[in-house]
Amino acid sequence: MKSKIKPLDSFKRNLESVQKLMNFDRDVQDMAINYIEKLHNSLVNVQNITNEQINGKRTLDLLKGIRENDSLRPRYKIIFNQAIVLLVSYFGSAITDCFRLATQIAVESCDKRVLDEELNLEIKELIDRGDQIGDVLGDLLIQKKDISFQDMKSTHRAFKKYFGIEINKDAIVNNIILGQACRHCIVHEGGRVNRRIIKQIENAKPRSLKPSVRENDQLNFSTEEVEELGGYMKDYVSNLEARISEYKNSINQVNENNASTIRG
């Protein structure tokens, strides 16, 4: 069965939506400038109105100045912190999709690490799943085993336990840990760094995002930092998909070798 789960493609679409959100003010300004410029050109060239107070020239120059100087960015910067919250949420969804994909492969390939796992299920739950039990086994594992993808330690533990996929803790992972910690800080502490956040990121080194964070700092992300974090997350999901593909090839190879041994 060919899986319809495509974690990287979904994350890329979500990443693009975050980037559009961060540039919403610029898009609105560009749209206004475009329409007023067309109106101005029509009033000057068609109706021969040269008075700048009437033909929109002064309004056009004002809007262009605001756009060129990004004068509205400071009023919009609260959105950049919220973009971090969205990114971490979308990243968690992508990792969940990766786990579902790997579980489908494990079921189809009869990997005993997954097939031998015990789940406490009611008959009704199985009936409700119908013939799609293989497709939703990943969700059942997550639910029944209380697996969380909200921190990198538990994420790595889950993929190692069920699929033998080991992921090294590198600079990309450290930057994502920073992003996850900042998401919690923004949502629950209004962006004010406390001792818990410091503890959470103290071993997330080396990293390029906010390498120096102190207690009582107020978090303020820039668009560049949000895009940088999104890039790290995209690289991580891409690498995890590749590792899942390697897992599929390896488990299939083991099954083929076992079948050859039986036939021989």
Side-chain angles (χ1 to χ4, degrees):
M1 180 182 66
K2 185 176 178 57
S3 176
K4 296 179 181 179
I5 301 175
K6 299 184 182 299
L8 183 59
D9 289 348
S10 296
F11 184 75
K12 284 180 178 178
R13 287 193 296 271
N14 288 330
L15 180 58
E16 185 178 346
S17 72
V18 172
Q19 292 169 336
K20 287 180 178 178
L21 174 63
M22 290 194 298
N23 288 302
F24 179 75
D25 61 325
R26 291 171 173 169
D27 291 341
V28 171
Q29 292 172 61
D30 289 341
M31 185 182 300
I33 289 170
N34 181 54
Y35 279 111
I36 293 175
E37 193 161 40
K38 288 180 179 179
L39 175 61
H40 167 70
N41 291 334
S42 175
L43 291 173
V44 172
N45 300 323
V46 178
Q47 301 185 40
N48 197 29
I49 299 176
T50 58
N51 187 331
E52 294 185 354
Q53 290 183 323
I54 300 175
N55 65 21
K57 180 66 164 57
R58 292 188 179 179
T59 302
L60 183 61
D61 289 343
L62 175 64
L63 285 176
K64 284 184 175 179
I66 292 173
R67 178 66 180 86
E68 289 170 3
N69 296 313
D70 259 342
S71 302
L72 297 181
R73 287 267 102 176
R75 300 183 184 185
Y76 201 67
K77 66 181 181 181
I78 190 173
I79 297 297
F80 307 151
N81 277 5
Q82 296 306 312
I84 293 292
V85 176
L86 276 175
L87 265 187
V88 173
S89 178
Y90 287 142
F91 178 72
S93 295
I95 300 304
T96 301
D97 282 344
C98 285
F99 190 87
R100 290 180 181 127
L101 177 61
T103 305
Q104 283 186 359
I105 293 169
V107 171
E108 292 166 9
S109 304
C110 299
D111 188 343
K112 291 177 65 64
R113 281 174 295 198
V114 173
L115 295 187
D116 288 349
E117 193 70 27
E118 292 186 3
L119 296 177
N120 184 16
L121 292 172
E122 296 179 357
I123 297 297
K124 181 178 180 300
E125 291 182 83
L126 289 176
I127 295 173
D128 289 342
R129 304 293 179 176
D131 295 332
Q132 306 301 314
I133 186 67
D135 293 341
V136 297
L137 186 57
D139 290 323
L140 287 173
L141 271 174
I142 292 170
Q143 176 187 349
K144 298 300 181 179
K145 298 299 181 179
D146 197 24
I147 299 171
S148 171
F149 299 120
Q150 298 201 7
D151 68 86
M152 301 311 292
K153 184 178 292 186
S154 60
T155 295
H156 290 182
R157 185 167 55 242
F159 278 90
K160 180 179 180 180
K161 175 180 179 179
Y162 293 105
F163 317 113
I165 297 176
E166 296 194 50
I167 306 168
N168 294 328
K169 184 174 177 290
D170 56 13
I172 288 178
V173 173
N174 290 334
N175 280 299
I176 293 174
I177 291 172
L178 182 279
Q180 291 173 327
C182 288
R183 177 263 174 203
H184 185 277
C185 180
I186 292 166
V187 171
H188 299 286
E189 307 295 335
R192 182 73 63 182
V193 177
N194 58 21
R195 192 167 299 177
R196 176 182 176 181
I197 304 303
I198 297 297
K199 181 72 175 176
Q200 190 174 346
I201 65 175
E202 64 181 356
N203 294 321
K205 299 174 183 178
R207 66 175 188 268
S208 57
L209 278 172
K210 299 194 180 301
S212 177
V213 178
R214 298 181 298 273
E215 191 174 354
N216 293 320
D217 279 356
Q218 181 66 40
L219 292 174
N220 288 301
F221 279 85
S222 66
T223 55
E224 292 77 16
E225 288 174 321
V226 176
E227 289 173 352
E228 184 179 351
L229 177 60
Y232 292 136
M233 289 176 169
K234 183 174 68 174
D235 290 343
Y236 184 95
V237 175
S238 176
N239 176 61
L240 184 53
E241 265 201 20
R243 298 294 300 277
I244 292 171
S245 180
E246 292 173 3
Y247 161 69
K248 179 179 181 179
N249 293 335
S250 65
I251 197 70
N252 286 342
Q253 185 62 54
V254 169
N255 289 340
E256 288 177 10
N257 291 341
N258 289 340
S260 296
T261 301
I262 293 173
R263 289 194 299 269

